[in-house]
């Protein structure tokens, strides 16, 4: 289970997300204190004592009743956790990456508009022990949203302390997000005090054996709004070689054999050459059709007619289920809940075959779409996890869905960017798993 602390409508509670059952269980702060004390090292009396010290009013009878309820849901694991509670090991980088030159996404400059979109979009912002120490040093003895420092973070998974932990949420967004959309940690102690993942966002990196390519993940409005920005900051400023990137920055490396399509594999050099040749095409053609066509060309196939059907049915079922589960506990005005309603409404419209076919017509594309594809291809996003042809088709499908979302009056805010919202939901809230059973359609 994933335990997440929330302050909703002024009331603090902990929501246990049961991934196996696809549902959730809402607990009081006191009940969570009992579960946290039941760490495998205490008997019943010891749990009562530890929970009482944490401020819970616990008795042996109440503790036994709570644990029996959890056991009935098959939610308990016997014994003391085996993992260390204070160690985070960065993912190792491939050989030679440290000396490779850094190449930033060409002609892109990033500006954060400071409205906190990314800070409201994700349910789990992972923090290291050092991240948490910096946050507490920036705000010593200070309650944030009425939550004292000792309750700011919960384990990333389970109830026992873990190396990675997650900050509490306020009305669905990060608990450290101020009413003005700015990070309280950043405001009080500067960007260097923020969790590393937050400070690095939206930068991502990948190695192809020739260079480390630095790009952006297009899951926040300001990332894609920067398509027309000439005054923002250049990516990778001060980074000359791979070793200059912070150690917590993951650098994905293309494998020696990159799956492109059924029976087709390329070397990293071939992938790099193909991507560089494709980027100008994306600029002059409909980006969606360019991606769909490239999936065929790169995999050595004949032209496959564009189709939304196999993607829509799977995504609609999963998105509807996720919306149902989120609606059970998120506040009515929650950003993610609003985004899910926007997407589900769009997917139901696309059940109309005539509308779905009309979406597939050639379009001029716009700077936001072109930036999305350029940023994704530049850093080979997704190329290490699934065949490249499947990745390209997903890009095309995302663009077609986002075009319809732009016409559906369900956006949670006037400045919401459909393509950023869709990308955030697909990765950040697990919707893309609906497509994992699909390879490129034959």
């Amino acid at each position: 289970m994933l335990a997440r602390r929330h302050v909703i409508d002024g009331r603090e509670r902990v929501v246990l997300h049961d991934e196996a059952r696809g549902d959730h269980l809402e607990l009081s702060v006191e009940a969570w204190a009992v579960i946290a004390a039941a760490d495998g090292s205490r008997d019943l009396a010891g749990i009562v004592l530890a929970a009482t010290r944490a401020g819970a009013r616990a008795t042996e009878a109440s503790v036994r009743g709570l644990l029996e309820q959890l056991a009935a849901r098959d939610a308990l694991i016997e014994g003391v956790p085996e993992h260390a509670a204070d160690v985070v090991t960065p993912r190792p980088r491939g050989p030679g990456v440290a000396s490779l030159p850094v190449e930033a996404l060409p002609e892109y400059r990033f500006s954060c508009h400071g409205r906190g979109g990314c800070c409201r979009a994700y349910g789990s912002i992972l923090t290291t022990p050092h991240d948490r120490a910096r946050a507490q040093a920036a705000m010593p003895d200070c309650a944030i949203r009425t939550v004292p420092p000792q309750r700011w973070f919960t384990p990333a998974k389970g109830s026992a302390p873990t190396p990675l932990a997650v900050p509490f949420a306020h009305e669905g967004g990060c608990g450290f997000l101020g009413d003005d959309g700015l990070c309280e940690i950043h405001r009080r102690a500067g960007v260097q005090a923020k969790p590393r993942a937050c400070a690095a966002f939206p930068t991502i990196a990948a190695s192809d054996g020739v260079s480390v390519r630095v790009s952006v993940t297009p899951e926040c409005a300001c990332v894609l709004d920067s398509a027309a920005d000439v005054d923002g900051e250049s990516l990778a400023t001060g980074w000359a070689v791979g070793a200059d990137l912070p150690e917590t920055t993951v650098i994905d490396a293309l494998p020696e054999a990159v799956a492109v399509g059924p029976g087709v594999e390329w070397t990293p050099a071939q992938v790099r050459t193909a991507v560089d040749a494709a980027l100008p095409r994306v600029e002059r053609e409909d980006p969606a059709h360019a991606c769909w066509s490239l999936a065929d060309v790169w995999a050595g196939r004949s032209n496959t007619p564009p189709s939304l059907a196999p993607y829509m049915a799977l995504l609609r079922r999963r998105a509807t289920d996720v919306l149902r589960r989120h609606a059970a506990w998120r506040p009515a005005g929650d950003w993610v809940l609003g985004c899910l309603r926007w997407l589900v409404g769009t997917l139901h419209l696309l059940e109309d075959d005539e509308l779905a076919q009309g979406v597939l017509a050639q379009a001029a594309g716009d700077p936001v779409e072109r930036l999305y594809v350029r940023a994704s291809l530049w850093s080979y996003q997704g190329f290490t996890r699934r065949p490249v042809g499947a990745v390209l088709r997903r890009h095309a499908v995302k663009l077609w869905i986002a075009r319809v979302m732009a016409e559906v009056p369900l956006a949670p805010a006037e400045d919401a960017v459909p393509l950023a919202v869709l990308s955030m939901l697909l990765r950040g809230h697990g919707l893309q798993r609906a497509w994992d059973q699909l390879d490129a359609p034959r």
Side-chain angles (χ1 to χ4, degrees), residues 349-395:
L349 283 178
L350 283 168
E351 291 182 33
D352 184 300
D353 292 338
E354 185 175 348
L355 174 60
Q357 283 301 117
V359 172
L360 300 177
Q362 291 276 353
D366 61 28
V368 166
E369 291 185 350
R370 301 188 195 287
L371 171 59
Y372 169 82
V373 178
R374 284 197 303 116
S376 300
L377 292 181
W378 181 255
S379 56
Y380 316 116
Q381 292 179 42
F383 286 15
T384 61
R385 295 184 293 278
R386 54 187 58 91
V388 173
V391 174
L392 289 169
R393 291 191 191 279
R394 291 187 186 200
H395 289 335

Side-chain angles (χ1 to χ4, degrees), residues 227-242:
D229 198 333
V230 296
D231 298 321
E233 295 183 10
S234 177
L235 296 177
T237 300
W239 299 344
V241 296

Side-chain angles (χ1 to χ4, degrees), residues 17 60 90 94 130 144 185 193 197 230 233 253 256-257 277 293 300 324 329 334 349-350 359 387 389 399 404 422:
H17 300 277
E60 289 196 11
H130 291 303
I144 300 293
I185 301 173
V230 296
E233 295 183 10
E256 293 183 3
S293 176
R324 174 188 59 79
W329 63 271
D334 179 83
L349 283 178
L350 283 168
V359 172
L399 295 177
V404 180
L422 178 59

Side-chain angles (χ1 to χ4, degrees), residues 267-283:
T267 65
Q270 288 176 301
V271 174
R272 179 185 174 95
T273 298
V275 165
D276 288 348
L279 293 175
R281 180 175 176 178
V282 171
E283 291 297 317

Side-chain angles (χ1 to χ4, degrees), residues 105-192:
L105 179 65
E107 301 177 6
Y108 179 77
R109 304 183 73 85
F110 173 68
S111 289
C112 177
H113 52 38
R115 291 194 285 272
C118 54
C119 306
R120 292 178 291 156
Y122 302 100
S124 298
I125 301 170
L126 299 178
T127 65
T128 68
H130 291 303
D131 291 332
R132 301 192 288 277
R134 287 195 304 272
Q136 290 170 334
M139 296 172 285
D141 302 319
C142 176
I144 300 293
R145 306 290 189 182
T146 72
V147 180
Q150 62 269 26
R151 297 207 300 268
W152 284 353
F153 300 95
T154 54
K157 193 165 188 175
S159 58
T162 55
L164 294 174
V166 178
F168 76 99
H170 176 258
E171 302 298 342
C174 176
F176 295 111
L177 187 66
D179 292 333
D180 57 0
L182 298 178
C183 172
E184 289 292 343
I185 301 173
H186 190 162
R187 190 198 316 274
R188 299 178 187 224
V191 66
Q192 70 278 359

Side-chain angles (χ1 to χ4, degrees), residues 110 191 194-204 214-217 235 239 246 248-250:
F110 173 68
V191 66
K194 295 172 69 173
R196 296 294 178 86
C198 300
F201 186 87
T203 302
I204 56 175
V214 176
S215 186
V216 286
T217 180
L235 296 177
W239 299 344
T248 50
T249 299
V250 174

Side-chain angles (χ1 to χ4, degrees), residues 25 64-75:
L25 180 65
R64 186 186 299 277
L66 175 60
L67 296 179
E68 287 175 348
Q69 290 178 27
L70 292 171
R73 295 176 61 99
D74 196 26

